[in-house]
Amino acid sequence: MDTHPSNVSELLQQEKNTISLLRLVTAGSVDDGKSTLIGRLLFESKGIFEDQLEAVQSASTRRGSAGGQLDLSLVTDGLKAEREQGITIDVAYRYFATPRRKFIIADTPGHEQYTRNMVTGASTADLVIILIDARQGVVTQSRRHAFLASLLGIKHMVVAVNKMDLVGYERAPFDGIVTDFTEFSTRLDVPDVTFIPISALAGDNVTGRTRNMPWYEGTSLLHHLETVHIASDRNLIDFRFPVQFVSRPDLHFRGYMGTPASGIVRPGQEVVSLPSGVRSRVVRVIGPDGDVPEAFPPMAVTLTLADDIDVSRGDVLVHPNNIPRVNTTLEAMVVWMAKEPLTPTRQYVIKHGTRKVPGFVKSIRYRVDVNALRQHPADALELNEIGRCVLELSRPIVYDAYTRNRASGSFIVIDRETHNTVGAGMLLDRERLEPDESAPRIERSASPTEASGRVRESERRERLKQQPFCVWISGSDGAGASPLAYALERALFDAGLVGYVIEGDGSGNDVRQIAASARLLCDAGLFAVCVVSGEQQTEARQLAKETVGADRVVAVTVGDRGVGQPEPDLRLAATLPRDAAVEDIVRSLHRRGWTS
């Protein structure tokens, strides 16, 4: 029976009713087979036009590069040639669809010098496919791309072990790669990692199961792409509406136009305009064809409010019981994309949402070695380098941490003279950069320019070969927080790190003393494991982060204390075996790059 649409209207209706869209990015080293895999997916899904297919068949016969088979890598060779000729095409996008789902593939270059291109292609992806040559195993670029995917908040990763035909479809090379990659990926924040053995050239396990690897019991790559669940990845909780344009066609209408970055808005809901803080209520939500009952990403809508308040381009409408951060001093992981290095104090333009704000990088806390997941002191960031930076803006912006909200937690850096995009940033979840006035005043060591001869913190780190950090453990009565702290100390000490356990009763003065002691230990280059009881755990965690530095504290709660309050960084069940709890904490430290 013919199921194809008979006319344009039917086609449009069929497209409208179709299945969800999956954005994915392919990554891997040069010659790992990305082009062949993309060509195979397009060929099997009938996403190649007949004239393109004829050209590929002719070129395959002429070049003989695929051993007599159809060389599907030639499908993307046109764009490769354009890149070699200097045409500015950083990322190639390909489109195809199956009866279950639509797909957009971002094909990114594999070489290290194109890290910025990988970031560009992956910035909006739901899933990343990392190709690994079965003969080569996990290489530097495999780890680099996995780290970048984690940094960019991609929740789903497929490790496609390619060229299984060249290792005789044997299981051992695949299992070795699974072991090596798993050991590395546990230090990353990627909750869903799937391993699939494939041969893109022969088509094994790409669009259907193969008989050549009977030991593999999983699904094909395409089936996984069709069925992976991404709906829950969308942030429909935090309503953020960056105002793009204020519409005033006449004296009787004022509408605020834009696209929700996240969350849902409906008529009748109360909203707050930030950064002004003025409240109002949504009267209408207007789409292209008239009023709609609700709006969510990526709908383009116009909102009208009950009150004539001062809202302009760059302002953000939010729900009053879900307020993001508003600040001029920010911390972010920055990927530098320009040949001229990023240096502190140089003026740039920060584009965040619909707002552009002048600003500069106040300091660079460290540069990340993405191959070893280690931090190194840095005075500048070179092309394709990634570092943690403190930014100072001339006006406040409204934002969330990138890990919570990719839409409101990202920004780009623009050169004020050339107007080129020179960097991309992901904002970090830092409570407050300056310590509270009530917290103990402990001065950090002066810089060499202020007091020549003083030992710098970076020198202590280098001498001790470890990163200073504080694990702040709180727990309900009988939850075993204290024994856990000492078990953690033993595990860290056995791993070659040096530190100390500090216990307290949770009273106000006691918490301050513990936090002050933890900061001294961290300033000395050591780790601190703090155990605090008491009722005000949220306030204690806040004080610890303000005193020690939020970038050096991981807050752990054992048991159910604090449910309904702001969550700690890590919550452990009281029934969890102690060894497993220690392992969870150590894994969290790994992800932050504090332990090797």
Side-chain angles (χ1 to χ4, degrees):
M1 180 178 178
D2 187 6
T3 59
H4 293 289
S6 59
N7 54 54
V8 174
S9 298
E10 187 177 343
L11 173 63
L12 293 176
Q13 186 62 37
Q14 177 176 307
E15 289 294 314
K16 183 177 180 180
N17 295 334
T18 310
I19 52 207
S20 61
L21 170 68
L22 178 71
R23 299 176 182 270
L24 59 117
V25 59
T26 57
S29 298
V30 177
D31 296 330
D32 273 351
K34 296 190 302 298
S35 296
T36 302
L37 176 62
I38 294 173
R40 172 65 61 183
L41 288 171
L42 293 172
F43 175 72
E44 297 288 352
S45 64
K46 297 180 172 51
I48 305 176
F49 293 114
E50 290 185 5
D51 57 339
Q52 288 179 300
L53 185 58
E54 291 175 0
V56 169
Q57 290 172 332
S58 176
S60 298
T61 302
R62 185 173 61 255
R63 295 174 58 176
S65 56
Q69 301 183 59
L70 187 64
D71 188 353
L72 293 171
S73 70
L74 299 176
V75 173
T76 60
D77 265 4
L79 284 171
K80 285 186 176 180
E82 290 176 348
R83 286 198 190 100
E84 292 168 358
Q85 295 167 22
I87 298 177
T88 307
I89 301 179
D90 288 341
V91 181
Y93 291 93
R94 296 292 182 175
Y95 308 85
F96 73 99
T98 69
R100 291 186 176 183
R101 180 170 267 171
K102 298 178 184 177
F103 302 91
I104 299 178
I105 306 178
D107 178 18
T108 63
H111 198 276
E112 177 181 347
Q113 73 185 76
Y114 296 113
T115 295
R116 55 182 175 174
N117 303 31
M118 162 67 180
V119 171
T120 300
S123 60
T124 59
D126 304 302
L127 179 146
V128 58
I129 300 176
I130 296 182
L131 276 90
I132 296 180
D133 190 324
R135 301 168 300 173
Q136 304 296 328
V138 179
V139 296
T140 297
Q141 278 299 84
S142 309
R143 292 188 287 268
R144 171 178 288 271
H145 288 143
F147 171 77
L148 289 171
S150 172
L151 182 67
L152 292 166
I154 300 178
K155 299 182 182 299
H156 307 280
M157 180 180 294
V158 174
V159 179
V161 181
N162 193 22
K163 303 187 180 181
M164 290 296 296
D165 54 315
L166 299 184
V167 295
Y169 297 107
E170 294 294 329
R171 180 171 186 169
F174 175 75
D175 287 346
I177 290 172
V178 171
T179 299
D180 292 345
F181 194 92
T182 300
E183 181 180 353
F184 175 80
S185 65
T186 54
R187 302 160 62 184
L188 305 176
D189 188 15
V190 182
D192 176 25
V193 181
T194 301
F195 297 88
I196 302 177
I198 68 169
S199 170
L201 181 64
D204 295 294
N205 281 346
V206 178
T207 59
R209 288 286 305 277
T210 180
R211 296 181 179 178
N212 292 323
M213 291 177 276
W215 46 265
Y216 173 69
E217 299 179 352
T219 66
S220 67
L221 174 62
L222 183 59
H223 183 268
H224 180 78
L225 297 179
E226 288 179 321
T227 57
V228 63
H229 180 69
I230 61 171
S232 59
D233 298 343
R234 299 170 63 189
N235 187 334
L236 297 179
I237 298 174
D238 305 317
F239 174 61
R240 309 287 185 256
F241 186 83
V243 176
Q244 179 78 20
F245 183 75
V246 180
S247 175
R248 288 298 306 273
D250 54 53
L251 295 175
H252 306 290
F253 184 89
R254 179 192 292 266
Y256 306 101
M257 306 175 71
T259 297
S262 59
I264 302 174
V265 62
R266 300 179 178 90
Q269 289 183 337
E270 190 176 11
V271 293
V272 176
S273 175
L274 295 177
S276 67
V278 179
R279 296 194 178 205
S280 188
R281 182 175 51 82
V282 176
V283 176
R284 299 173 62 192
V285 180
I286 308 170
D289 300 319
D291 287 38
V292 293
E294 62 183 19
F296 48 84
M299 297 173 62
V301 295
T302 300
L303 305 182
T304 65
L305 304 181
D307 305 287
D308 189 10
I309 63 176
D310 183 16
V311 180
S312 58
R313 175 183 171 86
D315 292 347
V316 182
L317 300 178
V318 304
H319 290 321
N321 59 345
N322 187 331
I323 300 293
R325 306 184 182 216
V326 181
N327 213 331
T328 57
T329 305
L330 319 167
E331 280 209 36
M333 299 299 297
V334 175
V335 181
W336 196 242
M337 301 179 174
K339 292 182 178 180
E340 186 173 353
L342 166 66
T343 54
T345 72
R346 182 177 177 181
Q347 293 288 327
Y348 298 97
V349 173
I350 307 299
K351 185 179 186 300
H352 175 262
T354 57
R355 171 162 292 192
K356 291 183 179 180
V357 182
F360 65 94
V361 174
K362 190 175 181 179
S363 64
I364 301 174
R365 293 194 176 276
Y366 55 78
R367 174 182 59 82
V368 179
D369 178 353
V370 300
N371 302 320
L373 293 187
R374 293 187 179 276
Q375 303 167 4
H376 300 286
D379 298 322
L381 292 182
E382 303 289 342
L383 174 65
N384 293 319
E385 287 189 337
I386 302 168
R388 179 166 181 161
C389 303
V390 180
L391 293 89
E392 192 70 44
L393 308 184
S394 63
R395 298 192 306 275
I397 64 169
V398 180
Y399 69 98
D400 297 280
Y402 185 83
T403 53
R404 179 180 179 89
N405 195 327
R406 292 173 72 178
S408 61
S410 58
F411 63 89
I412 60 173
V413 184
I414 301 173
D415 187 279
R416 298 184 69 175
E417 298 178 1
T418 64
H419 303 290
N420 292 331
T421 298
V422 293
M426 288 131 285
L427 292 160
L428 298 174
D429 189 9
R430 183 149 193 190
E431 297 292 339
R432 221 179 292 175
L433 292 175
E434 297 300 328
D436 190 90
E437 289 298 325
S438 60
R441 289 292 184 178
I442 303 175
E443 298 297 329
R444 292 184 182 271
S445 297
S447 66
T449 57
E450 295 170 336
S452 178
R454 289 199 179 186
V455 178
R456 292 173 293 178
E457 187 177 315
S458 59
E459 293 179 286
R460 294 191 181 96
R461 289 199 303 266
E462 181 62 28
R463 173 66 60 82
L464 295 170
K465 304 299 182 185
Q466 69 180 57
Q467 290 289 333
F469 59 84
C470 170
V471 181
W472 189 270
I473 303 178
S474 56
S476 54
D477 295 336
S482 181
L484 172 62
Y486 286 101
L488 176 63
E489 180 194 29
R490 168 52 63 181
L492 295 174
F493 184 81
D494 290 345
L497 305 182
V498 181
Y500 199 72
V501 174
I502 310 171
E503 287 193 81
D505 59 17
S507 63
N509 290 332
D510 191 54
V511 168
R512 297 184 195 284
Q513 292 175 2
I514 293 173
S517 299
R519 177 165 176 172
L520 285 173
L521 287 174
C522 288
D523 284 349
L526 309 177
F527 71 78
V529 180
C530 303
V531 187
V532 181
S533 59
E535 296 297 325
Q536 304 300 320
Q537 293 301 331
T538 300
E539 291 79 358
R541 289 197 298 267
Q542 171 75 10
L543 178 62
K545 292 189 175 184
E546 290 174 348
T547 305
V548 183
D551 58 327
R552 301 195 296 188
V553 176
V554 56
V556 179
T557 292
V558 183
D560 58 1
R561 184 180 300 282
V563 174
Q565 300 177 1
E567 282 289 301
D569 300 312
L570 180 64
R571 182 180 294 279
L572 304 174
T575 56
L576 187 68
R578 190 172 304 154
D579 290 346
V582 169
E583 185 177 339
D584 282 352
I585 298 174
V586 172
R587 188 178 297 114
S588 180
L589 298 175
H590 277 316
R591 287 199 296 267
R592 289 167 168 81
W594 295 345
T595 58
S596 59

